[in-house]
C-alpha cells in the first residue's frame, strides 16, 4: 500500500484560556488514533516541534483583542487550507467580550499602573469577523467528541454531525426531566445550541448557554417566561452575558433588558 | 376469562410483579426521579410513587403529596412508553472494511421483554397509533416490531384527570377499553385499598392465576366505573374536534400562526414528549482511519431547521411554518396519512412546553375567529 501523506494540523491560540485546545489532549482514548491519522504540525501546548506550513487544517482558539492578533489571524488564514474555530472565544468573542459593552480605556486605567504599555482593541471579536472560517465549533469549552467528529468528518470527506438545534433535544433523548418545567429553574437550554450533552440540567441546574445561540433562537419569548418565573431584568442581562455575550441574539437580548 | 373482572387487594400487587418477573419480564413502571414521575425499571411496589400526585398546567409540573397512599394517584409524566418501543438513540448497523470488501454487522442487541405497569388509556391509544405508523403498512420497522411483540401491558384506568388532560375530547380515555392484558382501577374506600382488575387477554388471565384474587361484586364494578366517570368530568383541557381537519386546512394562512410564532421557541420539547411523534434522523459516523462506520438513528423533530433541509436550505425556515407543520400534521394531515388523529389528549406538549403553548388554545383561537367572522357576515 502506498504511504498516504497525513494531513497536517496546526493549533493556534488567540485571546483564550487554552481550555479548548487542551480538549485535543483530553482525547486520551482516541489520542493514538488521532496521532496516527494526522500530523500535528504546530501545537505548542503539546510539543515544541513546529513544522512549516501550509497546513491542511488549522484549529483556531481565542478571540481577536489586539492589533497584533488582528494581523496574525490573516497570516494563519493564508497558510491554512481549512480553518476551524474552536470554542466560544473564537466563535463569539468569549467572556472577554464583556468589554464590548463598556469603555475598555477605563478598565485599562484602573487595572494597569502604566496604561501606555497596553496595546489593545476596543472590542473582543470572533475570528469570523476577520477572516473566512470554514467551520465554527461551539462551546465553552468545546466538547471533545464534537472536536473528534469534525476532524473525523474532514478526514473522511463527509459532513460533520454537529447539530444546531436546542439543548432540550439532548435533555429529552437522555431522559433528563426539564428543570424549568418541574422546578421553575431558569434555563437557557431552549435557546442554546446542543453539543455539551445537556450536562447542567442532568445535575439539576439551568443551562448557562455555553454553546451559544441555537438556530433561530427565540430569546424574547424565553425572557418573557423567565420574568414570570421571577427573574429580574438585571439577572436576565447577566444570564445572556456569559461566555457568548457578544453572539448577536444573546447580545441583543441583554441590551433590550439593560435598557428596561 | 377475557372480559372478566376480579379484585386484587393492595397487599397482593407485589405478587403480580413477582409473577411477571418469574415469567421473564422486565417490569417498567412509574417511579419518581428528578422531581417528576417517569417510567423506569421497577422491581417492587415500593418503587411506585406511593402517596404522590402531580399538578400540571401550561409549562409547569409539580409533584405534590396526597392525603392517601394511592399507588397510581397521578396522571402522565414527561416520558411516555415511546422510549422503550422506539428508543431515542438506536445503532442500526456497523460496517467494517477489510481489504476491498465491506462487512455489514447488523445490531444484534438483545430485545428486552418488557411488562409495562400503569399504562393509561391515552397511552394505549398512542401505542396503537405508533403501531399504524411502524407496522401497519408496506414498510415495517423491524426494531419497533421486535420490541412491540414482546410487551405485556397492565393498564391503569385514570380515576383523576390532570390539569392538561383532554383524552375525553380525543375519545381516547380515561377508561382503557382495548389493547391491554390486564387493566386495573384503583379504589381507596376508607380503610380498604384494592384494585378491580379486568382481564384483556389469555396472557393476562394466565398471569392472574398465580395472584390471589377474589371475584368482583357488582358494587365493586360500579365503584370503579364511578371513579373513572368522575375523571372524565374533570378534564383540565378540552379540544373541539368537530370538522377539525377541514378547519385547519381552511386556515393555513391564519394570523394566529404568526402570533404563536412569537412565543414558540422551536426547542422541540413538544415533539420529544409526544407519545405519537415518531420522526428520526440517521447519522453516519466513522472512525478516524476510515476502517469502521456506524449508522445511528436518533429522535428528530420537525421543529429543527435540519429536518426540512434540502439542497439550498430549509423548506421551513420560519418558526411559523414549523409550528404550523407540527400542529396541522398532528390534528389534520395525520388523519389523511394514517386514518386516525395523531393526538391522544395526554397534554404532555402543553405541560412540557417551556413557555406553556397550548395546542387546545391554538385550535380554539382559530375556530373562534372563524365563527366570529361567520356571525359578522350573517349579522
Amino acid at each position: 500500500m502506498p504511504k498516504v501523506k497525513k494531513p497536517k494540523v496546526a493549533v493556534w491560540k488567540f485571546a483564550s484560556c487554552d481550555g479548548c485546545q487542551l480538549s485535543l489532549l483530553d482525547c486520551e482514548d482516541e489520542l493514538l488514533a488521532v496521532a496516527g491519522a494526522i500530523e500535528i504540525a504546530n501545537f505548542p501546548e503539546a510539543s515544541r516541534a513546529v513544522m512549516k506550513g501550509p497546513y491542511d487544517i488549522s484549529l483556531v482558539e481565542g478571540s481577536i483583542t489586539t492589533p497584533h492578533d488582528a494581523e496574525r489571524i490573516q497570516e494563519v488564514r493564508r497558510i491554512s487550507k481549512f480553518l476551524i474555530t474552536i470554542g466560544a472565544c473564537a466563535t463569539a468573542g468569549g467572556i472577554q467580550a464583556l468589554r464590548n459593552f463598556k469603555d475598555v480605556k477605563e478598565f485599562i486605567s484602573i487595572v494597569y499602573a502604566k496604561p501606555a504599555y497596553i496595546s489593545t482593541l476596543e472590542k473582543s471579536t470572533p475570528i469570523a469577523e476577520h477572516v473566512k472560517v470554514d467551520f465554527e465549533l461551539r462551546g465553552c469549552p468545546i466538547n471533545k467528541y464534537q472536536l473528534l467528529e469534525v476532524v473525523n468528518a474532514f478526514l473522511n470527506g463527509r459532513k460533520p454531525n454537529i447539530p444546531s438545534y436546542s439543548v432540550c433535544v439532548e435533555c429529552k433523548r437522555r431522559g433528563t426531566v426539564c428543570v424549568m418545567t418541574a422546578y421553575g429553574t431558569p434555563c437557557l437550554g431552549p435557546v442554546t445550541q446542543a453539543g455539551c450533552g445537556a450536562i447542567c440540567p442532568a445535575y439539576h441546574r439551568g443551562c448557562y448557554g455555553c454553546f451559544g445561540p441555537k438556530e433561530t433562537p427565540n430569546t424574547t419569548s424565553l425572557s418573557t417566561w423567565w420574568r414570570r418565573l421571577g427573574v429580574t431584568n438585571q439577572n436576565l442581562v447577566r444570564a445572556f452575558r456569559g461566555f457568548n455575550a457578544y453572539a448577536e441574539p444573546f447580545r441583543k437580548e441583554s441590551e433590550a433588558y439593560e435598557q428596561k | 376469562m377475557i372480559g372478566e373482572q376480579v379484585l386484587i387487594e393492595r397487599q397482593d400487587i407485589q405478587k403480580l410483579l413477582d409473577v411477571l418477573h418469574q415469567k421473564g419480564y422486565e417490569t417498567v413502571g412509574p417511579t419518581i426521579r428528578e422531581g417528576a414521575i417517569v417510567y423506569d425499571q421497577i422491581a417492587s411496589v415500593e418503587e411506585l410513587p406511593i402517596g404522590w400526585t402531580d399538578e400540571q398546567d401550561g409549562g409547569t409540573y409539580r409533584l405534590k403529596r396526597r392525603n392517601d397512599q394511592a399507588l397510581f394517584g397521578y396522571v402522565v409524566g414527561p416520558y411516555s412508553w415511546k422510549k422503550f418501543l422506539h428508543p431515542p438513540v438506536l445503532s442500526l448497523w456497523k460496517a467494517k472494511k477489510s481489504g476491498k470488501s465491506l462487512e455489514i454487522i447488523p445490531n444484534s442487541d438483545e430485545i428486552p421483554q418488557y411488562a409495562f405497569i400503569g399504562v393509561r388509556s391515552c397511552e394505549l391509544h398512542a401505542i396503537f397509533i405508533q403501531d399504524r405508523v411502524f407496522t401497519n403498512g408496506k414498510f415495517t420497522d423491524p426494531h419497533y416490531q421486535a420490541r412491540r411483540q414482546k410487551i405485556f401491558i397492565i393498564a391503569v384506568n385514570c380515576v383523576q384527570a390532570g390539569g392538561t388532560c383532554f383524552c375525553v375530547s380525543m375519545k381516547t380515555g380515561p377508561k382503557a377499553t382495548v389493547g391491554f392484558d390486564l387493566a386495573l382501577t384503583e379504589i381507596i374506600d376508607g380503610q380498604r385499598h384494592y384494585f378491580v382488575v379486568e382481564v384483556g387477554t389469555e396472557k393476562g388471565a394466565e398471569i392472574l392465576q398465580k395472584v390471589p384474587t377474589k371475584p368482583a361484586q357488582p358494587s365493586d364494578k360500579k365503584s370503579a366505573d364511578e371513579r373513572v366517570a368522575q375523571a372524565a368530568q374533570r378534564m383540565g383541557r378540552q379540544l373541539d374536534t368537530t370538522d377539525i381537519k377541514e378547519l385547519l386546512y381552511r386556515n393555513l394562512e391564519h394570523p394566529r400562526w404568526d402570533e404563536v410564532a412569537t412565543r414558540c421557541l422551536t426547542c422541540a420539547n413538544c415533539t420529544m414528549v409526544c407519545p405519537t411523534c415518531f420522526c428520526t434522523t440517521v447519522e453516519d459516523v466513522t472512525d478516524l482511519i476510515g476502517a469502521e462506520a456506524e449508522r445511528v438513528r436518533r429522535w428528530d423533530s420537525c421543529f429543527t431547521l435540519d429536518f426540512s433541509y434540502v439542497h439550498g436550505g430549509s423548506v421551513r425556515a420560519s418558526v411559523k411554518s414549523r409550528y404550523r407543520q407540527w400542529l396541522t400534521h398532528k390534528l389534520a394531515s395525520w388523519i389523511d396519512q394514517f386514518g386516525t388523529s395523531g393526538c391522544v389528549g395526554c397534554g404532555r406538549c402543553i405541560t412540557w412546553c417551556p413557555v406553556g403553548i397550548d395546542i387546545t388554545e391554538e385550535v380554539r383561537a382559530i375556530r373562534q375567529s372563524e365563527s366570529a367572522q361567520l356571525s359578522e357576515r350573517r349579522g
Side-chain angles (χ1 to χ4, degrees), chain A residues 55-125:
Chain A
Y55 305 101
D56 293 292
I57 306 178
S58 273
L59 299 175
V60 177
E61 178 198 83
S63 67
I64 304 298
T65 56
T66 65
H68 172 248
D69 277 356
E71 279 173 33
R72 193 158 63 97
I73 190 62
Q74 300 295 336
E75 174 62 11
V76 170
R77 176 70 266 189
R78 206 176 54 75
I79 55 174
S80 310
K81 199 164 136 191
F82 198 68
L83 190 155
I84 301 168
T85 59
I86 55 171
C89 299
T91 58
I95 193 75
Q96 61 273 26
L98 287 177
R99 70 157 71 165
N100 302 3
F101 299 93
K102 302 283 178 199
D103 183 358
V104 75
K105 286 190 198 98
E106 280 186 39
F107 287 136
I108 295 169
S109 67
I110 295 165
V111 174
Y112 297 98
K114 294 201 188 295
Y117 291 128
I118 304 300
S119 166
T120 192
L121 296 169
E122 296 229 326
K123 285 188 163 60
S124 166
T125 46

Side-chain angles (χ1 to χ4, degrees), chain B residues 20 165 228 230 239:
Chain B
L20 287 166
C165 287
V228 177
Q230 235 171 43
L239 177 66

Side-chain angles (χ1 to χ4, degrees), chain A residues 136-158:
Chain A
E136 289 188 321
L137 190 60
R138 305 278 199 86
C140 184
I142 55 167
N143 174 308
K144 67 174 185 178
Y145 298 105
Q146 284 206 325
L147 176 63
L148 277 176
E149 169 61 17
V150 171
V151 172
N152 199 324
F154 172 80
L155 293 174
N156 287 286
R158 63 174 175 83

Side-chain angles (χ1 to χ4, degrees), chain B residues 43-103:
Chain B
S44 124
V45 171
E46 298 307 312
E47 290 171 75
L48 292 170
I50 299 174
W52 287 95
T53 192
D54 47 14
E55 283 180 2
Q56 303 194 32
D57 204 345
T60 152
Y61 177 102
R62 293 290 183 278
L63 286 179
K64 289 271 151 70
R65 273 280 173 203
R66 293 174 62 89
N67 53 16
D68 61 22
Q69 294 296 302
L71 304 189
F72 299 100
Y74 38 84
V75 288
V76 296
Y79 292 97
S80 68
W81 306 95
K82 177 169 88 171
K83 67 173 180 175
F84 298 104
L85 296 172
H86 179 49
V89 181
L90 183 71
S91 167
L92 298 176
W93 48 260
K94 288 180 181 172
K96 265 189 184 166
K97 199 155 83 178
S98 44
K100 279 186 179 172
S101 72
L102 198 65
E103 187 194 354

Side-chain angles (χ1 to χ4, degrees), chain A residues 5-209:
Chain A
K5 215 175 145 207
K6 290 191 213 170
K8 272 160 76 178
V9 176
V11 182
W12 307 93
K13 175 187 162 66
F14 289 82
S16 58
C17 76
D18 285 29
C20 288
Q21 48 174 312
L22 288 176
S23 300
L24 197 55
L25 295 178
D26 282 342
C27 300
E28 286 144 356
D29 296 336
E30 299 84 5
L31 203 54
L32 286 175
V34 172
I38 59 179
E39 189 88 65
I40 298 188
N42 181 0
F43 187 10
E45 280 275 14
S47 164
R48 276 183 296 177
V50 174
M51 283 169 67
K52 278 182 76 177
Y55 305 101
D56 293 292
I57 306 178
S58 273
L59 299 175
V60 177
E61 178 198 83
S63 67
I64 304 298
T65 56
T66 65
H68 172 248
D69 277 356
E71 279 173 33
R72 193 158 63 97
I73 190 62
Q74 300 295 336
E75 174 62 11
V76 170
R77 176 70 266 189
R78 206 176 54 75
I79 55 174
S80 310
K81 199 164 136 191
F82 198 68
L83 190 155
I84 301 168
T85 59
I86 55 171
C89 299
T91 58
I95 193 75
Q96 61 273 26
L98 287 177
R99 70 157 71 165
N100 302 3
F101 299 93
K102 302 283 178 199
D103 183 358
V104 75
K105 286 190 198 98
E106 280 186 39
F107 287 136
I108 295 169
S109 67
I110 295 165
V111 174
Y112 297 98
K114 294 201 188 295
Y117 291 128
I118 304 300
S119 166
T120 192
L121 296 169
E122 296 229 326
K123 285 188 163 60
S124 166
T125 46
I127 301 300
E129 278 198 19
H130 299 265
V131 295
K132 179 181 174 287
V133 171
D134 298 293
F135 194 87
E136 289 188 321
L137 190 60
R138 305 278 199 86
C140 184
I142 55 167
N143 174 308
K144 67 174 185 178
Y145 298 105
Q146 284 206 325
L147 176 63
L148 277 176
E149 169 61 17
V150 171
V151 172
N152 199 324
F154 172 80
L155 293 174
N156 287 286
R158 63 174 175 83
K159 179 178 158 281
N161 294 311
I162 305 289
S164 55
Y165 48 61
S166 70
V167 171
C168 303
V169 175
E170 289 189 317
C171 263
K172 287 293 179 289
R173 280 190 196 141
R174 69 181 281 172
T176 300
V177 173
C178 178
V179 295
M180 202 148 79
T181 306
Y183 290 98
T185 305
C187 177
L188 283 176
V191 295
T192 301
Q193 179 167 309
C196 62
I199 303 168
C200 292
Y203 290 91
H204 316 299
R205 304 290 293 265
C207 167
Y208 291 94

